[in-house]
Each structure stands twice: as structure tokens, then as C-alpha cells.
Amino acid sequence: MNERIKRDIEAIDLNIAELKKRRRELLAELGEGRLSWGAIIAGAFGALMTGLGIIALFAAHWDELGRAARAAVSVAPTLVCGVAAVIAGAKGWRAKSLWEPLGILWCISIIAGTSLVAQTYQVGGSVPGLVLLVALLSLPVVWVTRSVATTALWPVFAIVWGISSKTVNGESMALGVKSAALMALSLPALVALVRSDLPKAARTMAHIATGLVYSFGLALVLAVTLPISHEFMLTSVYWICAAIVVAAGHFFRLSPWCIVGTIVACCASLWTPFFDDPGAYWVAIVIAIGIIVFGVDRLRPAYANIGAVTFFWLVLAKFLASNASFTMKGIVLISCGLALTALNVVLVRFRKRGA
């Protein structure tokens, strides 16, 4: 019975592999060829240099232009990108080598054009208002182009808006909620990016960037905008945001999100030995031990090492600040180093046996 089940599972896996291969072939026929990591970098730099070149070209004669001409020049790149997107969509062009640089150039055009129009006509308002306007104008570009760079970096608008709003209006619970809600507007584009057929390197880098933004970035804007002053509560904000990203990574099988969220949680724990409130320190100890246990149980050296380094740091930071002799401190340091080495040796042997 067990042998038959194993054969059925192997047959299913084989069929899945063949279907995935056929899907890639069909996508290539439709012009949706997979975008290499090199093409992403080349497209990003090409779009960036093009946008900066256009700005520099008109900046040389900017003072000679009237207001209407300045406004037309400022808006023209955005309109050109929009027309290009309409034409590409109408013709069914789906190649990522087109949409990736187009998305970057389009967003740069919106940022530059909106800022120049506001400066030309001396439109009143605040920095948060300008940031919010640019964010909302560029959001459809993220959805339409599904560019890796724009999808990963668009939530930075929400972070900048929240921090700049705090400097103008002060901290408030409503501001923190609005900042989180603004960041959440990019989630549909993120889901589309996760489901897209990207090469492994590009997909990994995109997931690392988005995981960092939605863990550290979200925690940063909440820590700045919410009326929180207690160090334990501020650290808890980073722990909670990191836990949300880790949980989403496990649920959606995004391993980079799991590792990024774990690192953010551990980095937030590094300062707890210096807090006046010992509660945060003991929570950090529990988090570090939990990561170690997870790494050992799943035979994941990366998690085990992250947890072990965090745990040793938490212990040593307290111990080295004590009045113990240098001899005792040296012995403890050597013991921690040997323990970390032994942990890696044991995990490697177990993984080899499991393989």
C-alpha cells in the first residue's frame, strides 16, 4: 500500500513539472518571456538614465520657458509613458523587458512632473500633500506595469508620507492607521508580482525588498507616527510587524519573507539589554530561543545561527556590562564561540544523514 502511494505521488510530481514546463513555453510564445536579473538591472538603469537625461535636457533652458511651456514639458514624459502603455496593451505586448523599464520611467516622470508643475505654478500645500499626490498618481502605474522595482519600492511613499505628516501634525493613532492603510494599497500589485513568472534571482530579490519594506518599513512608520514613547512598546511594534511578515511568508510560501522578518525581529531585540524595563529583554530571550528551536527542529542552520547569535549577544551584553573579571568574561566568550561552532557541526551532520 505504501509503495503504491509513493508511486502515485511521484507520478503527480512528474505531471506538475511537465505542466510547469509547458506553461513556460506558452508564456514565451505569448511574448511573456521570463525576465532575467540582468535585464531588470539594465532596464532599471536605462530608465533611470533616460529620465534624468530628459530632466537635464530641459533644465538647461528652463529659465527661458514660460509657465505654460514648463507645464507642458513637465507633463509630456508622463503622457508619453501612458500612450506607450496603451499601445503595448492594445497590441498584447506582455514582455517584461518592456514593462519593467516602462514602469520605472513612468514613475520617475510622475514624480518629476508633479513636482515641477507644483513649483512652476507655486501651488500651495505641504510636503505630505505632495508626497500623497505623487503616491496616488503612481499607484495605477504599479498595478498596470507590475514592475518589480516599482512594486517593491512604492510602499516607501507611505513611509515618507507618514514621517513627514508627523513633523507637521504630530503623532496620533489616526496618522499611524492612515499610513498603514496607504501602504496596504500596494498589496494587490504585490500579489500579482508574487504570482508572476519571474526567474529565481529576480523573484528572490523582489521578495527580500518587499519583506523588508513590510516588516521594518511598516514598523518604522508606525513607531514614528503612533503616540508611543515606552521603549518596550516601541520594540513590540517591530516584533509584531516582523511576525506578520513571517506568518505571511509561511502561509504564502515566501521563504525570503520568513528570513527577513526573522532578522528584523532579532535586530529589534539587540537593544533590549540596555532598556530600563527588563520585560523587553526577557521577551527577546524567548524569541531567540524560539528561533533556535525552530532551526534545529527543521534542520535550518540559517535560523539556528540567527537565533544563536541573537541569544549570545543578549546574554553577553548583560554579562560584559557586569563587574565580573576579564578572565571570566574571556571564558564565557570562548564557551559561546564553541557552542555556536558545535551547533553548526551537529546541524550539518543531521542534514547529511537526512539527505
Side-chain angles (χ1 to χ4, degrees), residues 15-322:
N15 290 333
I16 292 175
E18 292 177 351
L19 289 173
K20 288 183 177 179
K21 181 180 178 180
R22 181 55 181 165
R23 179 177 182 271
R24 289 193 294 267
E25 293 174 353
L26 292 174
L27 289 176
E29 294 177 4
L30 288 173
E32 298 181 352
R34 297 183 67 179
L35 181 62
S36 66
W37 180 237
I40 291 177
I41 296 177
F45 275 102
L48 179 60
M49 288 187 291
T50 301
L52 294 178
I54 293 173
I55 294 173
L57 182 63
F58 289 105
H61 306 282
W62 192 253
D63 293 335
E64 302 174 5
L65 302 175
R67 282 192 172 185
R70 290 182 183 182
V73 169
S74 301
V75 176
T78 302
L79 296 178
V80 170
C81 291
V83 171
V86 171
I87 295 174
K91 291 184 175 294
W93 296 342
R94 301 180 181 178
K96 294 184 178 67
S97 56
L98 166 67
W99 290 104
E100 181 67 27
L102 179 60
I104 297 172
L105 182 59
W106 204 349
C107 285
I108 293 175
S109 300
I110 290 174
I111 296 172
T114 304
S115 302
L116 289 174
V117 169
Q119 186 271 337
T120 299
Y121 288 94
Q122 298 180 354
V123 179
S126 59
V127 173
L130 178 61
V131 174
L132 181 60
L133 176 61
V134 172
L136 295 178
L137 290 176
S138 59
L139 182 59
V141 175
V142 176
W143 288 347
V144 171
T145 63
R146 297 183 182 180
S147 165
V148 175
T150 56
T151 302
L153 297 179
W154 188 89
V156 175
F157 282 122
I159 299 173
V160 175
W161 178 80
I163 295 175
S164 60
S165 297
K166 181 258 182 182
T167 60
V168 176
N169 302 317
E171 302 170 343
S172 69
M173 185 66 67
L175 180 58
V177 173
K178 290 178 182 178
S179 300
L182 181 61
M183 184 176 290
L185 291 178
S186 64
L187 287 177
L190 175 62
V191 173
L193 176 64
V194 169
R195 294 178 177 178
S196 61
D197 190 29
L198 289 173
K200 184 177 180 180
R203 183 171 60 251
T204 300
M205 293 303 297
H207 292 171
I208 290 174
T210 53
L212 188 61
V213 167
Y214 284 105
S215 57
F216 176 76
L218 178 59
L220 176 63
V221 71
L222 291 179
V224 170
T225 57
L226 294 178
I228 302 175
S229 58
H230 194 277
E231 52 194 13
F232 189 178
M233 296 300 296
L234 286 173
T235 307
S236 298
V237 171
Y238 287 90
W239 285 336
I240 292 172
C241 292
I244 293 173
V245 169
V246 170
H250 281 292
F251 183 80
F252 294 106
R253 297 182 180 179
L254 302 176
S255 57
W257 275 35
C258 299
I259 196 72
V260 168
T262 302
I263 293 174
V264 170
C266 289
C267 289
S269 302
L270 298 181
W271 307 104
T272 56
F274 311 105
F275 290 172
D276 295 331
D277 186 357
Y281 175 76
W282 291 112
V283 172
I285 289 288
V286 172
I287 292 174
I289 293 175
I291 296 172
I292 295 173
V293 171
F294 175 82
V296 173
D297 181 64
R298 300 296 179 88
L299 298 180
R300 303 287 295 274
Y303 288 94
N305 284 322
I306 292 172
V309 169
T310 304
F311 177 78
F312 290 148
W313 163 262
L314 294 173
V315 174
L316 292 174
K318 283 286 190 180
F319 180 75
L320 295 178
S322 66

